[in-house]
Amino acid sequence: VVQAASASGRAEAWVTTAMRREVARVSLDDTLETVQQLMAEQRAPVVAVYEGEQFAGLLTVDELQAAFARGAARQRQGQAAT
């Protein structure tokens, strides 16, 4: 956003020029794979997570990738132990 404002020669940039108005919504009951697919389809770097109608938090693509990496590491550790 800062770079875009600088490049345009404007001294001010407003949040509304950079923000997303529509954020994908997922449930706490959704699998990580389902959320990953949704984020890829919508090119969404973040999703809003709900438990029913109650907002639970945000999940970013970086957090999702980290969760997959942790799962893969646990799986490798489990295979090495057997």
Side-chain angles (χ1 to χ4, degrees):
V1 175
V2 173
Q3 290 175 339
S6 297
S8 69
R10 296 185 320 182
E12 297 176 339
W14 304 105
V15 171
T16 57
T17 64
M19 69 182 217
R20 290 176 177 261
R21 294 189 185 274
E22 299 295 323
V23 177
R25 181 176 172 159
V26 299
S27 169
L28 281 175
D29 297 328
D30 288 332
T31 66
L32 292 177
E33 290 81 6
T34 298
V35 174
Q36 180 185 39
Q37 182 177 354
L38 174 72
M39 291 175 88
E41 288 171 357
Q42 295 189 9
R43 296 184 184 160
V46 64
V47 293
V49 182
Y50 282 79
E51 183 173 20
E53 292 301 312
Q54 180 70 35
F55 176 72
L58 298 173
L59 178 66
T60 67
V61 69
D62 292 338
E63 293 164 333
L64 183 65
Q65 290 171 345
F68 277 117
R70 286 190 304 272
R74 281 193 294 270
Q75 186 177 14
R76 284 191 303 273
Q77 288 173 344
Q79 290 173 349
T82 56

